[in-house]
């Protein structure tokens, strides 16, 4: 089932825009920062609108409705956080870390984790043992390498204050949790009607986590600037999540002729 | 068997998973409960023709006048004949016709319960995705119309994928063991 042309068009436009900003870097650091955040906000907004589009066929009374609804709230908070950072970049030019936007970003994980925990709790894991085992091993290796290369060095850094340390640990930890839970759902539902939609949502969450981990790693070394190649992960992440929501809507739409 | 009756009453949309040979017992239990607690039910049958179902329910001392049958199977072997409490679908794979018929029944608000037996058998006549799409729409329509919906499903290999997809729209999935169904029959 092919996504609608509008969704493909928006996805392609966002990819082209972020590639232009990252590699052509038009107008210097300030313009790149503002444009980079603007594209981030648009991509998160795309995922939010796609989530609303999918949710309109569902109800909060079903697990599927609660999962899509809460994930969409998470995407909306991502959009708000990105918009706050865009305003900071456009007006203040420099701001402290963690900023108010970071508090909103962390808050965005709460509905997402609630959705995924609920999904994993409600769903029965019927089969696919080898695939699930492989995924859990891969996740465990990722978690260990993130803990060793990112979390422990950040915790041991004496030059960083406590609040910054908390956020530095929260971002990778929350991302790892989201990847684990989304991956579990995608593995369980693999092979059915929702293979592609949950596969795309999982890929999207994995790319968002890759963006956040790259940000944490580069930020820790003082190398991160908005408009870095790692920003492509975020845009791609939101785009895949949006396409996953759109596909879910397509699967569930009322069949032609039955109204 | 309290599990079946209690959870049937507690949830709007439920899957009852049962061993293949115990389908009839599960259906009779749900029909009895529909007769006792509600004013009747629509039974959509993908497993047996309506006249056979009618006779077997009557044998189980169920008042079949309180039930309406949507027969999907008869058309595959016999010429369709008119019946006051039965509607026939011209082909088991024609989900549009079935959908329109069920929509009409739901609009009439004549029945507070719909029992769908056997949902796994739909996969013989239609693609997996089309079945999921159809059932999701049926669930939505039943929720809007405040009709309690019970799916009877086989605990067999071929049904696992369908169960995975459908459980995301259910209020509950109840696994009925042969022992429980046996106790219910005896009781």
């Amino acid at each position: 089932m092919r996504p609608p042309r509008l969704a493909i068009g928006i996805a392609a436009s966002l990819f082209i825009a972020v590639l232009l900003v990252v590699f052509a870097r038009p107008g210097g650091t300030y313009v790149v920062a503002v444009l980079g955040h603007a594209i981030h906000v648009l991509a998160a907004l795309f995922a939010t609108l796609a989530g609303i589009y999918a949710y309109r066929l569902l109800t909060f009374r079903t697990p599927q409705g609660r999962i899509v609804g809460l994930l969409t709230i998470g995407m909306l908070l991502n959009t708000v956080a990105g918009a706050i950072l865009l305003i900071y970049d456009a007006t203040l030019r420099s701001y402290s870390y963690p900023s108010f936007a970071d508090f909103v970003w962390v808050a965005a994980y709460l509905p997402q984790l609630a959705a995924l925990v609920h999904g994993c709790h409600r769903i029965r894991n019927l089969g696919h043992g080898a695939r699930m085992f492989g995924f859990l091993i891969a996740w465990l290796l990722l978690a260990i390498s993130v803990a060793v290369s990112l979390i422990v060095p950040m915790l041991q850094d004496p030059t960083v204050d406590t609040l910054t340390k908390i956020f530095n640990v929260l971002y990778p930890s929350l991302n790892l949790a989201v990847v684990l839970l989304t991956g579990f759902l995608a593995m369980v539902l693999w092979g059915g009607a929702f293979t592609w939609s949950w596969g795309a949502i999982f890929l999207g969450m994995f790319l968002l986590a890759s963006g956040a981990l790259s940000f944490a790693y580069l930020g820790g070394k003082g190398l991160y600037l908005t408009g870095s190649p790692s920003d492509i992960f975020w845009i791609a992440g939101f785009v895949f999540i949006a396409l996953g929501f759109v596909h879910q809507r397509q699967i569930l739409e009322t069949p032609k002729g039955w109204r | 068997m309290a599990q079946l009756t209690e959870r049937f009453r507690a949830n709007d949309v439920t899957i009852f998973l049962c061993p293949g040979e115990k389908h009839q017992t599960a259906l009779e239990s749900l029909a009895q409960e529909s007769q006792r607690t509600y004013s009747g039910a629509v039974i959509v049958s993908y497993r047996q023709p309506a006249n056979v179902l009618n006779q077997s329910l009557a044998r189980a001392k169920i008042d079949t006048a309180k039930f309406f049958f949507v027969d999907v199977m008869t058309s595959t072997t016999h010429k369709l004949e008119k019946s006051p409490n039965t509607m026939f679908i011209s082909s088991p794979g024609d989900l549009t016709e079935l959908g329109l018929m069920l929509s009409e029944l739901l609009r009439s608000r004549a029945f507070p319960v719909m029992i769908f037996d056997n949902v796994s058998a739909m996969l013989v006549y239609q693609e997996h995705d089309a079945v999921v799409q159809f059932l999701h729409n049926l669930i939505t329509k039943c929720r809007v119309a405040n009709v309690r919906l019970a799916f009877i499903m086989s605990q067999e290999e071929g049904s696992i994928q369908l169960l995975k997809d459908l459980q995301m729209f259910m209020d509950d999935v109840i696994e009925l063991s042969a022992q429980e169904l046996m106790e219910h029959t005896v009781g």
Side-chain angles (χ1 to χ4, degrees):
Chain A
M1 198 177 280
R2 201 183 253 188
R5 280 183 191 167
L6 179 64
I8 294 177
I10 295 171
S13 307
L14 286 166
F15 268 124
I16 293 167
V18 74
L19 290 175
L20 280 174
V21 167
V22 167
F23 295 109
R25 305 192 70 80
T29 311
Y30 172 73
V31 175
V32 166
V34 172
L35 282 178
H37 280 135
I39 295 165
H40 185 113
V41 172
L42 288 174
L45 184 64
F46 177 39
T48 308
L49 294 175
I52 294 169
Y53 180 62
Y55 181 77
R56 286 184 65 186
L57 282 185
L58 299 164
T59 156
F60 212 72
R61 287 160 70 186
T62 63
Q64 183 93 347
R66 288 190 283 271
I67 293 167
V68 172
L70 287 167
L71 285 180
T72 305
I73 293 171
M75 291 300 122
L76 178 66
L77 288 170
N78 265 298
T79 312
V80 172
I84 293 168
L85 214 60
L86 173 63
I87 294 166
Y88 281 172
D89 257 325
T91 56
L92 302 176
R93 296 201 177 202
S94 71
Y95 43 87
S96 62
Y97 171 81
S99 68
F100 178 58
D102 291 292
F103 283 91
V104 181
W105 253 311
V106 168
Y109 286 98
L110 300 178
Q112 289 182 67
L113 286 171
L116 297 167
V117 167
H118 175 65
C120 293
H121 173 67
R122 282 300 302 262
I123 208 159
R124 287 157 184 241
N125 181 17
L126 303 154
H128 299 308
R131 187 180 292 123
M132 184 67 80
F133 182 73
F135 166 70
L136 290 175
I137 294 292
W139 182 86
L140 201 63
L141 291 173
L142 176 71
I144 291 168
S145 56
V146 168
V148 171
S149 63
L150 265 178
I151 296 175
V152 173
M154 284 192 293
L155 283 174
Q156 288 172 340
D157 189 346
T159 62
V160 174
D161 63 89
T162 310
L163 187 63
T164 306
K165 272 185 186 173
I166 290 171
F167 273 82
N168 281 348
V169 172
L170 271 177
Y171 276 129
S173 311
L174 291 169
N175 275 294
L176 284 172
V178 167
V179 167
L180 174 68
L181 296 169
T182 322
F184 180 85
L185 277 177
M187 294 296 142
V188 171
L189 293 170
W190 190 273
F194 299 102
T195 303
W196 290 109
S197 70
W198 274 103
I201 292 171
F202 167 62
L203 181 60
M205 290 297 188
F206 181 76
L207 287 164
L208 287 184
S210 305
L213 294 173
S214 309
F215 166 78
Y217 181 78
L218 294 171
K221 294 187 176 303
L223 296 172
Y224 179 81
L225 283 173
T226 305
S228 294
S230 63
D231 286 7
I232 297 167
F233 286 127
W234 272 311
I235 307 306
F238 287 125
V239 163
F240 277 108
I241 290 168
L243 294 177
F245 282 143
V246 169
H247 187 264
Q248 210 160 107
R249 159 89 186 203
Q250 286 179 298
I251 290 286
L252 299 177
E253 258 173 352
T254 307
K256 278 180 190 163
W258 185 30
R259 302 283 173 195
Chain B
M1 204 61 198
Q3 186 182 214
L4 184 145
T5 50
E6 278 170 23
R7 288 166 81 178
F8 180 49
R9 278 182 222 157
N11 298 294
D12 291 336
V13 184
T14 316
I15 289 181
F16 292 91
L17 280 175
C18 62
E21 73 280 7
K22 290 292 171 190
H23 259 257
Q24 190 60 29
T25 318
L27 176 62
E28 284 169 12
S29 304
L30 288 170
Q32 267 169 1
E33 183 56 28
S34 304
Q35 180 184 252
R36 194 165 39 228
T37 314
Y38 309 96
S39 54
V42 175
I43 300 179
V44 183
S45 180
Y46 256 90
R47 199 168 54 87
Q48 55 192 335
N51 60 341
V52 177
L53 180 57
N54 214 321
Q55 286 162 15
S56 60
L57 290 181
R59 270 199 304 275
K61 291 176 184 146
I62 293 167
D63 180 6
T64 53
K66 289 184 174 177
F67 291 84
F68 192 90
F69 303 97
V70 176
D71 183 337
V72 185
M73 301 311 293
T74 301
S75 65
T76 55
T77 54
H78 289 80
K79 199 174 170 223
L80 304 180
E81 286 171 20
K82 283 196 173 175
S83 168
N85 67 337
T86 308
M87 274 180 166
F88 295 95
I89 302 295
S90 56
S91 158
D94 192 345
L95 296 184
T96 304
E97 187 188 352
L98 178 60
L100 288 169
M101 199 171 275
L102 295 180
S103 293
E104 203 179 303
L105 282 170
L106 289 171
R107 266 196 295 273
S108 74
R109 296 188 182 271
F111 297 94
V113 175
M114 186 181 286
I115 301 169
F116 209 108
D117 174 42
N118 159 7
V119 77
S120 320
M122 293 181 85
L123 293 171
V124 175
Y125 307 102
Q126 267 292 355
E127 295 285 324
H128 177 97
D129 287 11
V131 171
V132 171
Q133 189 181 39
F134 174 84
L135 293 175
H136 172 259
N137 279 279
L138 177 63
I139 291 166
T140 308
K141 282 177 189 290
C142 284
R143 284 190 193 279
V144 170
N146 266 326
V147 168
R148 204 164 289 271
L149 181 56
F151 291 105
I152 302 176
M153 201 170 184
S154 306
Q155 283 172 327
E156 58 194 34
E157 193 68 26
S159 308
I160 286 178
Q161 202 58 58
L162 186 60
L163 174 62
K164 281 182 185 182
D165 286 339
L166 287 183
Q167 64 181 329
M168 299 293 270
F169 308 110
M170 297 293 147
D171 295 327
D172 206 351
V173 178
I174 300 166
E175 214 165 314
L176 299 169
S177 66
Q179 179 63 35
E180 279 174 307
L181 288 164
M182 188 70 77
E183 283 165 16
H184 191 253
T185 317
V186 172

